[in-house]
Amino acid sequence: MIRIRIEHRTTYRYHQLVSLGPHRLMLRPRESRDLRLISSEVMVTPEATVTWANDVFGNAVATAIFPEMTDHLKIDSITELELNAVAWPVFDIAASAIRYPFRYSDDEWTDLGALAAQQEADPNNRLRKWAQAFVRGDTTDTLALLKDLSTGITGWISYQSREDEGTQSPLQTLDRGWGSCRDFAMLFVEAARSLGFGARIVSGYLYNPDRRLIGSADRGSTHAWAEVYVPGAGWITFDPTNRSVGGFNLIPVAVARDIRHAMPVSGSFVGMTDAFREMVVEVDVTVADG
């Protein structure tokens, strides 16, 4: 068990006063058997009315409403938690799903819904054909297939950090041959869906104390990865950016059908076309005292 402190600051600056629209904040980590939340505080400057709710996936979502115009916006999130995930988990996959292809039960298929359907256009089945190349024979080991698919992405795609907003489509990532962690995660999720798996995107934080993992130049950063539902084992974590399985160094904040629905901060402003000056994101993930 390790106690971790996360300090996450997002700062927007404008050349002149602007009116801020409602901002959607997803900054509170998801509690689970492997993660116990000790404290979580979100502070917004200028003063705002902040309300909390849970979305359809159970993510904690804060909405900030700003009554006055401003030339800056600062959102600070400070979290302390205990992480108890193991580095090499053993997955108790149901006998019916050990070999691929397998069939989800009717209830599982209904509940997975859109998570088992491709969300991006693939008119010529290019993505499915690419993913199908990782299937070895008429039947194959399910977990080995998913591991091969995850690690295979880095064999095709080079990692490149991107500061601009948005996510490439899986076909764009394949064509360009490079992408960020969120592009890797969406490629993996859509490829898994093309093979009939239920999969979802996860956003949160990467804990990187030895600075060896891809996606963070420091001890931690925001990060994106994926989970695939396998009967018996449940949701299995895959981080294609770092070729890892299991979430011992990952701190989930939000799960979603698409990365667009799991952004840490999203919102709008009304002002002159040249009003926007800059956005700065600072994240520090450290071992907490005590």
Side-chain angles (χ1 to χ4, degrees):
M1 181 183 295
I2 187 171
R3 185 163 175 167
I4 293 175
R5 178 181 174 90
I6 303 169
E7 298 180 34
H8 182 173
R9 170 175 290 181
T10 304
T11 304
Y12 296 88
R13 295 185 178 91
Y14 305 91
H15 291 293
Q16 59 256 331
L17 294 176
V18 299
S19 295
L20 297 174
H23 277 60
R24 186 173 185 263
L25 315 178
M26 303 183 80
L27 298 165
R28 181 185 175 94
R30 291 171 61 93
E31 295 191 77
S32 68
R33 180 175 57 84
D34 296 327
L35 190 155
R36 184 175 78 88
L37 198 60
I38 298 170
S39 63
S40 179
E41 184 177 10
V42 176
M43 296 155 287
V44 179
T45 306
E47 185 176 349
T49 300
V50 179
T51 57
W52 288 86
N54 293 101
D55 68 9
V56 68
F57 287 103
N59 303 310
V61 182
T63 301
I65 305 295
F66 302 89
E68 299 180 357
M69 299 181 72
T70 182
D71 62 359
H72 70 281
L73 169 60
K74 184 171 67 174
I75 301 164
D76 285 298
S77 172
I78 300 176
T79 301
E80 288 199 12
L81 56 87
E82 288 181 348
L83 194 60
N84 195 34
V86 298
W88 305 102
V90 176
F91 302 105
D92 188 17
I93 297 175
S96 61
I98 289 176
R99 304 289 296 177
Y100 173 87
F102 64 88
R103 185 182 183 279
Y104 287 118
S105 70
D106 290 344
D107 284 341
E108 288 171 330
W109 189 253
T110 298
D111 291 337
L112 287 169
L115 297 180
Q118 287 178 252
Q119 303 297 304
E120 299 285 345
D122 185 21
N124 298 315
N125 287 322
R126 286 181 56 205
L127 181 60
R128 176 172 170 76
K129 292 173 183 176
W130 179 82
Q132 192 69 39
F134 293 94
V135 180
R136 301 180 180 181
D138 294 334
T139 65
T140 190
D141 181 272
T142 298
L143 187 57
L145 166 59
L146 291 169
K147 288 180 178 178
D148 288 347
L149 181 61
S150 178
T151 58
I153 286 176
T154 54
W156 284 78
I157 310 300
S158 299
Y159 176 80
Q160 182 173 315
S161 177
R162 288 195 298 112
E163 297 301 326
D164 54 313
E165 296 182 0
T167 303
Q168 298 174 171
S169 73
L171 293 182
Q172 285 177 322
T173 300
L174 287 177
D175 288 339
R176 293 173 179 176
W178 56 267
S180 66
C181 63
R182 59 188 185 272
D183 302 318
F184 279 47
M186 281 307 301
L187 173 58
F188 175 82
V189 164
E190 285 289 273
R193 289 169 176 166
S194 77
L195 295 177
F197 290 98
R200 62 189 186 184
I201 199 80
V202 190
S203 70
Y205 301 99
L206 172 69
Y207 176 53
N208 186 23
D210 55 11
R211 296 176 171 85
R212 294 182 179 180
L213 298 173
I214 298 174
S216 173
D218 210 331
R219 293 170 297 188
S221 68
T222 55
H223 196 54
W225 60 96
E227 292 178 345
V228 176
Y229 184 79
V230 179
W235 291 103
I236 299 178
T237 297
F238 293 89
D239 180 6
T241 303
N242 289 292
R243 299 188 172 195
S244 64
V245 181
F248 80 99
N249 62 332
L250 299 171
I251 301 162
V253 170
V255 299
R257 171 173 49 87
D258 189 283
I259 191 66
R260 295 178 294 108
H261 306 140
M263 302 301 291
V265 177
S266 58
S268 62
F269 73 90
V270 177
M272 300 296 290
T273 55
D274 61 347
F276 180 74
R277 179 180 174 187
E278 66 175 349
M279 179 186 74
V280 178
V281 178
E282 303 165 273
V283 178
D284 193 20
V285 183
T286 58
V287 175
D289 294 335

